Amino acid sequence: MSNDIEGTAAAIRDMSIRGAGKIARAGSMALADFARRYSGTDMERFLSDLDSAKRTLLESRPTAVSLWNGLHATVRGVEECRDTGEAASLVIANAERFSAQSLEAVETIGRIGAKRIRDGDTVMTHCNSSAALSVIKTAHSQGKDVKVFATESRPWRQGLLTVRDLHQAGVDTTLIIDSAVRTVMKRVDAVFVGADTITSHGALINKIGTSQLALAAKEARVQFYVCSETYKFSPMTIFGDMVTIEERGSGEMVREGEIPEGVKVFNPVFDSTPTEYIDAIITELGMMSPGSVYGTMVRMLGERALRAE
Ligand code: RUB
């Protein structure tokens, strides 16, 4: 297995590369790199090596379907190639296309979502989502006066990345602890969060605590928007598969010796927000209701692909 595949998988696992969009692009580019360096000529061997590279990357983190979709988009059509040269070129072209479209989607989501921010609005965001930040930064760059409350997002504290990014863009930003969400929600006009996975019935899987923001927003009658590229829609959920919620180590929550031996630590890092808490999903194809996710996926995949499953 190439070092780049192992290296990228390790970087995703230890979260040096993180965020659903970024891990999908990094995985896809790692496959392109693998294809670029491939020197063998045996097609069967190439396909099996490519498949194990894909599996190694997929095993790095289990929750974000963006990784699965990105890797599958990267290897699409490779089995029909006549030789390893053609197959490698296809993998490279697929990866470049996926990456470019993925970055373009984040920009489009920014333009669409920014229309939901009025001059003088205060918004809240959670964790660190490129898609959600694209919305906020676009609104700011259009000259709107927008204030942001950003959650710390324990235990990994991705909120610190968010406040640095927003501050650098010149946005008026306030960091809050996760447990301040309900108190602060009274001052908020809209919530914008990202997505790791959207199920076929429109539920959102995102950073742990997202569902608490949604609940507090509903209670305070604050709009709750999900910013999600369509490659975060999960085809597997159409066939009844459940989304695996990643659990990470106790070391992210407590240091050695900080709690008595025998006390257990539970660290799930994503949660599920039911559809009834979501006002709209902002995608590169436009704003849609959670109820439109299934139809959109069927159109994107083609009904024939679904029946073949
Ligand atoms: C990141 C997270 C982000 C989504 C969307 O979790 O939950 O909200 O991945 O991000 P982690 P983006 O830090 O554990 O990866 O919009 O950048 O794809």
Side-chain angles (χ1 to χ4, degrees):
M1 181 73 49
S2 119
N3 281 341
D4 287 291
I5 296 293
E6 295 287 6
T8 304
I12 294 174
R13 219 174 4 253
D14 73 18
M15 290 175 62
S16 337
I17 303 174
R18 49 146 298 282
K22 286 200 190 87
I23 66 174
R25 286 190 294 274
S28 173
M29 281 309 180
L31 286 185
D33 242 40
F34 166 87
R36 209 171 277 120
R37 287 158 195 252
Y38 204 83
S39 53
T41 52
D42 181 338
M43 191 57 186
E44 220 169 288
R45 184 76 197 268
F46 176 82
L47 290 177
S48 107
D49 288 351
L50 184 67
D51 192 57
S52 50
K54 192 182 79 187
R55 270 186 287 115
T56 302
L57 290 164
L58 270 178
E59 279 160 16
S60 59
R61 282 191 88 182
T63 302
V65 76
S66 52
L67 182 59
W68 191 94
N69 279 329
L71 297 180
H72 279 81
T74 308
V75 302
R76 190 161 298 140
V78 81
E79 277 169 9
E80 279 86 64
C81 291
R82 282 163 309 200
D83 54 54
T84 56
E86 190 187 330
S89 304
L90 182 67
V91 169
I92 296 164
N94 282 347
E96 281 166 359
R97 187 176 332 102
F98 173 77
S99 234
Q101 287 176 348
S102 148
L103 291 170
E104 202 180 303
V106 173
E107 266 187 54
T108 308
I109 288 168
R111 280 198 303 277
I112 295 174
K115 295 185 191 163
R116 292 294 162 139
I117 299 181
R118 295 159 305 184
D119 191 28
D121 270 356
T122 297
V123 305
M124 185 183 282
T125 190
H126 186 48
C127 191
N128 180 252
S129 154
S130 318
L133 292 185
S134 172
V135 169
I136 297 168
K137 288 194 285 185
T138 303
H140 172 76
S141 71
Q142 291 167 343
K144 291 177 190 167
D145 169 24
V146 49
K147 293 186 176 50
V148 182
F149 283 108
T151 57
E152 181 187 13
S153 309
R154 281 274 297 158
W156 216 82
R157 306 181 84 201
Q158 290 91 331
L160 301 190
L161 301 172
T162 294
V163 298
R164 279 183 212 132
D165 187 0
L166 288 173
H167 181 72
Q168 199 183 2
V171 180
D172 180 327
T173 306
T174 306
L175 179 70
I176 56 170
I177 55 170
D178 302 317
S179 40
V181 161
R182 187 161 177 250
T183 297
V184 172
M185 195 59 79
K186 297 178 194 102
R187 304 199 217 164
V188 168
D189 299 293
V191 176
F192 293 89
V193 295
D196 278 81
T197 291
I198 309 264
T199 70
S200 61
H201 67 284
L204 163 68
I205 316 297
N206 192 49
K207 180 53 54 196
I208 190 80
T210 301
S211 64
Q212 283 173 175
L213 266 77
L215 199 64
K218 180 112 183 153
E219 180 194 40
R221 294 173 186 249
V222 168
Q223 297 284 300
F224 184 86
Y225 295 113
V226 178
C227 309
S228 171
E229 305 89 313
T230 51
Y231 62 83
K232 290 164 180 179
F233 291 4
S234 165
M236 293 85 108
T237 57
I238 293 181
F239 306 104
D241 286 1
M242 309 269 275
V243 179
T244 305
I245 300 290
E246 179 184 7
E247 285 173 33
R248 294 182 68 88
S250 59
E252 291 187 349
M253 284 169 60
V254 284
R255 284 190 298 273
E256 183 103 30
E258 231 175 3
I259 53 171
E261 230 172 272
V263 173
K264 295 187 281 279
V265 170
F266 179 43
N267 182 21
V269 299
F270 297 101
D271 70 13
S272 170
T273 300
T275 54
E276 60 267 33
Y277 296 97
I278 299 170
D279 286 290
I281 303 174
I282 306 169
T283 77
E284 75 279 14
L285 302 180
M287 303 215 11
M288 60 179 79
S289 67
S292 314
V293 170
Y294 174 78
T296 306
M297 264 203 274
V298 171
R299 268 198 309 284
M300 284 167 48
L301 296 168
E303 232 179 277
R304 228 164 354 117
L306 291 180
R307 287 187 204 284
E309 184 67 24

